[in-house]
């Protein structure tokens, strides 16, 4: 998967996307993978919220706004 391509080394929820080798191309790939789980996230949002922790918080906030 795209996520495993980006995250070849061990990461945790506070690992920075860019510091572990992420870039705009991998951001697009990850967003495509997330769509398979009905999670809508744009590459711009992924690049803005650069840790799993902040991305999860952002997605939860978006989800609450829709409900």
């Amino acid at each position: 998967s795209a996520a495993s391509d980006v995250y070849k080394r061990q990461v945790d929820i506070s690992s920075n996307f860019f510091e572990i080798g992420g870039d705009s191309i991998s951001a697009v790939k990850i967003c495509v993978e997330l769509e398979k789980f009905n999670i809508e996230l744009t590459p711009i949002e992924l690049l803005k919220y650069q840790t799993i922790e902040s991305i999860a918080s952002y997605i939860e906030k978006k989800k609450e706004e829709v409900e």
Side-chain angles (χ1 to χ4, degrees):
S1 81
S4 64
D5 290 344
V6 173
Y7 306 119
K8 292 190 184 290
R9 56 189 152 160
Q10 188 174 9
V11 298
D12 60 38
I13 64 170
S14 62
S15 296
N16 181 283
F17 179 71
F18 293 110
E19 290 175 3
I20 59 172
D23 58 22
S24 59
I25 300 298
S26 55
V28 171
K29 291 179 180 179
I30 290 170
C31 290
V32 169
E33 291 290 323
L34 290 173
E35 286 177 2
K36 295 177 184 178
F37 300 97
N38 294 319
I39 299 172
E40 294 183 24
L41 188 71
T42 67
I44 292 171
E45 292 167 332
L46 180 60
L47 297 174
K48 181 177 179 182
Y49 302 99
Q50 300 173 14
T51 66
I52 295 170
E53 184 175 36
S54 63
I55 291 167
S57 294
Y58 176 71
I59 291 170
E60 283 297 316
K61 186 184 287 186
K62 278 179 49 172
K63 185 177 162 184
E64 290 171 5
E65 291 173 0
V66 172
E67 296 174 349

